Amino acid sequence: FFFFQAEDGIRDFCLSRGLGDVYKRQVQRGLQEAREVCAGLGYSAYNRLGAYIDDNNVHLTWEGDNNVLLQQACKYINDTYMKLLKGTKPRGGSLSFLQPGDKITVQDISVEDVGKLESIRAIMQFRVNVLAHSSTMKLQQNMSKYGNNFDAWNASLQYYFKPLGLAYGDCYCAGEFERVINSTQDPSLKAIFIQMLQLWAFEIIEKDQHVFSQMNFLKEIHFKVIREKIQELCYSLSREAYKILDIIAIPDEILGAPIGLSNGEMYKNFMNVVRQAPGCYERPSWWKELKGLQ
């Protein structure tokens, strides 16, 4: 797991838990998308996408990993929010923007400005604030309904606290991405980073429309523009994707997938693997059955 420097100079355990869930689910989505684009097991099982998906499934499920860890992050947010309602503000750090439900800032974001860094930051923080308020209120309602912490928490988890934990992780990632962008000196590279952040953020916003529509924060015209921008960004970044992947690429000897080797000779790499496979030039065991069908 990744650990990050927290407000008091100690490692932020709960933040690492929320981010662990976000990262592992993102990896799973990326692998599944790659497999579907290539079809089958990534065109062939030799490309190992099926094996990578199976391996990553372990990280999503072992010892109830993600569900348990995400609850720890949610508990941290809930405790911070309850202190905020009692007048104790967060001392900087990853939740310094947290606001009580009746004081959530509804920023007026124009359609033209929806892709600006400060707008994305405000949108992500609004999402956490709204979900923190609704989750805490739901937990209090369930406490009255069930009469004990265990049942009240479980009844509030799936549709309230789990989305809150994921939103918290997304918000932190957006802030770190913005920090990297602001520290980048090369103008052309900075422009690519901004587009990558926009595409990632717009996908989240489009899928969580019901949250961002609350308090009339974003309107239908915003979502229409965002969908158009997602298409434009996919086209634009497709021209840069190879160079970006080449920078962060896994070494060939570790990747072991002919479709993704650094020389770019996909067909040649694939045929080399096929020819080297045991029994490649031998008849299959069921050839006689096929002969009998003639």
Side-chain angles (χ1 to χ4, degrees):
F1 300 106
F2 297 97
F3 292 86
F4 298 84
Q5 201 68 19
E7 297 84 5
D8 297 323
I10 61 175
R11 298 192 184 279
D12 193 340
F13 178 83
C14 292
L15 179 57
S16 72
R17 281 3 195 179
L19 288 176
D21 185 272
V22 171
Y23 289 154
K24 285 181 284 186
R25 292 183 189 278
Q26 190 68 35
V27 169
Q28 192 73 2
R29 287 179 56 206
L31 288 170
Q32 184 64 30
E33 185 72 21
R35 177 176 172 173
E36 292 178 10
V37 167
C38 296
L41 283 174
Y43 183 71
S44 166
Y46 287 121
N47 289 319
R48 298 182 64 189
L49 283 172
Y52 286 139
I53 291 174
D54 290 343
D55 290 344
N56 192 63
N57 267 330
V58 176
H59 298 297
L60 292 173
T61 57
W62 63 298
E63 297 178 355
D65 185 34
N66 275 18
N67 287 325
V68 174
L69 299 183
L70 193 62
Q71 287 186 67
Q72 293 174 341
C74 294
K75 182 67 165 56
Y76 167 65
I77 302 170
N78 179 248
D79 290 345
T80 304
Y81 189 78
M82 292 300 296
K83 292 177 182 177
L84 179 64
L85 295 179
K86 297 176 181 178
T88 303
K89 296 182 179 180
R91 296 182 298 168
S94 59
L95 285 174
S96 59
F97 61 86
L98 209 58
Q99 298 173 318
D102 59 343
K103 296 181 180 179
I104 295 177
T105 301
V106 181
Q107 186 172 326
D108 186 16
I109 299 176
S110 67
V111 173
E112 294 78 15
D113 293 341
V114 72
K116 289 185 176 181
L117 298 184
E118 56 270 25
S119 298
I120 292 175
R121 185 192 325 123
I123 290 170
M124 293 296 180
Q125 291 178 355
F126 173 83
R127 181 181 177 218
V128 175
N129 274 314
V130 167
L131 292 175
H133 174 72
S134 61
S135 299
T136 301
M137 295 302 103
K138 187 63 177 180
L139 181 60
Q140 292 179 349
Q141 293 174 11
N142 285 334
M143 280 293 295
S144 300
K145 181 177 180 180
Y146 295 101
N148 65 83
N149 291 334
F150 182 80
D151 290 331
W153 178 262
N154 286 337
S156 309
L157 182 60
Q158 181 64 28
Y159 298 110
Y160 290 88
F161 279 104
K162 186 175 181 180
L164 170 60
L166 295 174
Y168 174 52
D170 289 338
C171 186
Y172 185 86
C173 290
E176 288 298 290
F177 210 148
E178 183 181 351
R179 181 182 61 80
V180 171
I181 290 172
N182 291 332
S183 65
T184 302
Q185 302 299 319
D186 184 273
S188 59
L189 183 59
K190 189 172 186 175
I192 294 173
F193 283 166
I194 291 174
Q195 289 184 327
M196 291 173 66
L197 173 60
Q198 288 173 335
L199 180 58
W200 172 79
F202 285 162
E203 184 189 23
I204 291 173
I205 295 168
E206 199 275 331
K207 288 184 177 180
D208 226 358
Q209 182 173 343
H210 70 286
V211 173
F212 295 111
S213 298
Q214 293 186 38
M215 300 171 65
N216 212 26
F217 187 73
L218 293 179
K219 303 176 180 63
E220 180 58 37
I221 184 62
H222 288 94
F223 298 108
K224 182 178 179 180
V225 170
I226 284 172
R227 294 184 191 104
E228 291 294 326
K229 287 187 176 295
I230 288 175
Q231 296 295 329
E232 294 172 4
L233 287 167
C234 285
Y235 177 81
S236 178
L237 285 172
S238 68
R239 302 301 188 264
E240 309 292 341
Y242 183 82
K243 290 182 285 186
I244 295 171
L245 291 175
D246 193 47
I247 294 172
I248 62 175
I250 300 172
D252 289 352
E253 57 271 18
I254 296 177
L255 182 65
I259 200 173
L261 299 184
S262 58
N263 61 11
E265 300 283 349
M266 289 184 288
Y267 182 75
K268 181 179 178 180
N269 295 335
F270 177 72
M271 292 308 301
N272 286 339
V273 173
V274 171
R275 293 190 182 103
Q276 294 171 16
C280 172
Y281 296 103
E282 298 177 6
R283 285 179 173 179
S285 60
W286 35 263
W287 74 273
K288 293 182 178 180
E289 283 77 1
L290 291 180
K291 184 178 180 181
L293 297 176
Q294 294 180 351

